[in-house]
């Protein structure tokens, strides 16, 4: 199993833990990943990190598909790949209607169609086989819709890059199947090793649709996992609950919240409903308290080193090939490096 460091984003202010990232690189971490919501973007921090690191790969987890045209994403990430010496991975996600329409000001449209077309256009741009044309439902190149001048010209990128690895952050069955079919990796949201049987059939169906013998061997499951070392397990789980309450309770409309739906699929229906009711009523502290310890625990590795060690193998046994460690503790990063190294030696 490879290790990545997920530094994400820090809300209202940007805090890039450069020394921690360099430490992870020295420990043999394979990658570092940044994110975006409706504040800081995911790419600018990676450009900075490209200059202050030398080996660690650079991934976005995630860039929002509706925020950029496919060509803009292809240009941006190819540029970053060139200046970093070929270290870039492109992690993409659809976001939700509140952000897509409320922040980016574009229609939510048909997200599953948009994601497939987006990746197909990226591949065509990076291939540089010919000037790019595309006639899809969500994207048309050259654009020939309302208010078009008719002067659009098919173009081919003047930058000689490469086919960058594409990762998709998806949750529902249709989009998970599409991810396995068209992407190089999956960035599962709220991953629990206990729940892999929910996802495995959709991934395998995607491999079948891809053809060409595509299988688990050709696919990276890069799953985020909060890691915290300490003796008070309850207190460590409590630290995760504000984030869980925000997403389960408030990240989306009452009638359309993908994160709430995931908690329900995991068997926490009553808790998910209660968290949402409290959060949308402005009772955030009560919503946080309503997050079950069990839910936080199955998606994390927290506690004394021996507890983390005993539960670590579950993630690899579930099929995770890259564990994206979410932690600001140097001792947690070091422990995970030791565990991953020992596991590699054990299976060699």
């Amino acid at each position: 199993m490879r290790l990545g460091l997920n530094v994400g984003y820090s809300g209202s202010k940007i805090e890039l833990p450069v020394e921690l990232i360099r430490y992870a690189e020295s420990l043999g971490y394979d990658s570092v990943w940044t994110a975006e919501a409706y504040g800081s973007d995911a790419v600018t921090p990676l450009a900075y990190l490209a200059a202050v690191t030398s080996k660690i790969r650079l991934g976005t987890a995630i860039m929002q598909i509706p925020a950029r045209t496919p060509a803009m994403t292809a240009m941006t990430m190819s540029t970053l790949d060139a200046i970093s010496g070929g270290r870039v991975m492109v992690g993409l996600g659809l976001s939700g209607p509140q952000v897509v329409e409320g922040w980016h000001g574009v229609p939510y449209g048909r997200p599953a169609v948009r994601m497939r077309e987006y990746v197909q256009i990226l591949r065509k741009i990076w291939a540089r086989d010919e000037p790019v044309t595309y006639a899809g439902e969500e994207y048309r190149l050259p654009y020939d819709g309302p208010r078009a001048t008719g002067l659009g010209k098919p173009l081919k990128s003047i930058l000689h890059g490469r086919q960058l690895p594409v990762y998709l952050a998806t949750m529902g069955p249709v989009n998970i199947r599409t991810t396995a079919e068209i992407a190089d990796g999956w960035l599962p949201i709220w991953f629990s090793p206990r729940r892999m049987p929910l996802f495995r059939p959709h991934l395998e169906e995607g491999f079948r649709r891809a053809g060409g013998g595509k299988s688990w061997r050709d696919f990276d499951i890069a799953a985020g996992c909060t890691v915290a070392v300490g003796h008070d397990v309850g207190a460590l789980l409590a630290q995760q609950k504000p984030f869980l309450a925000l997403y389960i309770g408030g990240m989306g409309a009452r009638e359309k919240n993908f994160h709430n739906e995931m908690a329900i699929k995991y068997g926490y229906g009553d808790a998910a409903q209660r968290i949402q009711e409290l959060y949308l009523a402005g009772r955030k502290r009560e919503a946080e308290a309503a997050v079950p310890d069990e839910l936080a625990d199955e998606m994390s590795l927290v506690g004394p080193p021996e507890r983390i060690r005993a539960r670590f193998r579950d993630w690899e046994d579930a099929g995770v090939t890259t564990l994206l460690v979410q932690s600001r503790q140097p001792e947690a990063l070091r422990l995970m490096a030791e565990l991953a190294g020992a596991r590699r030696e054990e299976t060699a």
Side-chain angles (χ1 to χ4, degrees):
M1 180 191 289
R2 294 179 295 271
L3 294 178
L5 179 62
N6 193 344
V7 297
Y9 62 94
S10 53
S12 61
K13 61 180 180 178
I14 298 173
E15 296 176 345
L16 197 59
V18 173
E19 292 308 315
L20 191 72
I21 294 165
R22 285 173 166 163
Y23 182 57
E25 184 177 45
S26 74
L27 290 171
Y29 277 61
D30 173 74
S31 54
V32 59
W33 301 73
T34 58
E36 62 189 19
Y38 39 93
S40 58
D41 77 286
V43 182
T44 306
L46 287 185
Y48 180 81
L49 291 175
V52 298
T53 59
S54 60
K55 297 180 296 183
I56 199 165
R57 295 198 293 164
L58 310 164
T60 54
I62 55 154
M63 296 169 72
Q64 297 165 333
I65 284 175
R68 303 169 181 85
T69 65
M72 188 70 253
T73 291
M75 292 167 59
T76 300
M77 300 309 281
S78 290
T79 303
L80 181 58
D81 193 57
I83 65 176
S84 68
R87 292 190 275 153
V88 164
M89 297 170 289
V90 183
L92 302 168
L94 290 162
S95 192
Q98 284 190 323
V99 172
V100 173
E101 297 182 355
W103 184 246
H104 297 300
V106 297
Y108 193 54
R110 300 177 61 189
V113 173
R114 173 179 283 179
M115 182 174 69
R116 178 182 291 275
E117 292 185 0
Y118 202 92
V119 173
Q120 289 174 343
I121 295 171
L122 290 178
R123 303 289 198 201
K124 293 187 72 163
I125 291 172
W126 290 328
R128 297 190 73 254
D129 291 332
E130 59 186 0
V132 177
T133 61
Y134 193 87
E137 298 177 42
E138 293 284 324
Y139 297 101
R140 298 184 67 83
L141 294 173
Y143 176 70
D144 59 0
R147 294 185 290 176
T149 64
L151 301 175
K153 178 182 178 181
L155 298 171
K156 182 167 69 173
S157 174
I158 60 176
L159 179 64
H160 292 252
R162 65 182 178 108
Q163 284 287 350
L164 301 179
V166 173
Y167 289 67
L168 297 175
T170 50
M171 299 176 71
V174 172
N175 287 338
I176 291 174
R177 285 196 296 270
T178 300
T179 298
E181 178 186 353
I182 68 174
D184 301 290
W186 180 39
L187 294 163
I189 306 169
W190 310 125
F191 184 82
S192 163
R194 290 173 48 192
R195 311 298 175 169
M196 191 59 184
L198 292 174
F199 308 122
R200 188 179 298 275
H202 308 306
L203 292 166
E204 291 178 342
E205 174 61 24
F207 296 151
R208 285 192 290 271
R209 294 184 182 186
K214 187 174 184 180
S215 69
W216 299 100
R217 295 187 304 274
D218 315 300
F219 196 70
D220 187 16
I221 296 180
C225 176
T226 297
V227 181
V229 178
H231 293 288
D232 190 339
V233 174
L236 296 173
L237 294 175
Q239 292 174 9
Q240 301 177 52
K241 293 186 178 183
F243 189 71
L244 289 168
L246 166 63
Y247 275 79
I248 295 171
M251 193 61 76
R254 184 183 299 274
E255 65 277 6
K256 196 65 175 178
N257 181 325
F258 305 119
H259 311 282
N260 190 282
E261 292 170 9
M262 183 62 74
I264 293 171
K265 288 181 182 178
Y266 279 11
Y268 298 95
D270 291 343
Q273 180 180 356
R274 181 63 176 159
I275 292 164
Q276 187 178 64
E277 289 174 353
L278 291 167
Y279 203 95
L280 295 181
R283 297 158 63 183
K284 295 182 180 180
R285 294 293 176 266
E286 293 176 68
E288 293 166 9
V291 176
D293 282 357
E294 295 80 7
L295 175 59
D297 199 26
E298 67 176 272
M299 297 187 294
S300 64
L301 289 169
V302 303
E306 57 271 20
R307 185 177 193 266
I308 294 173
R309 185 175 294 108
R311 300 173 67 234
F312 169 70
R313 183 176 294 190
D314 293 342
W315 293 77
E316 189 170 51
D317 290 346
V320 174
T321 45
T322 299
L323 190 69
L324 303 186
V325 176
Q326 297 165 184
S327 181
R328 297 294 176 96
Q329 288 183 317
E331 61 268 35
L333 268 58
R334 184 171 60 252
L335 174 62
M336 297 309 296
E338 293 170 357
L339 294 178
R343 183 68 169 140
R344 281 194 295 269
E345 291 177 3
E346 180 181 327
T347 56

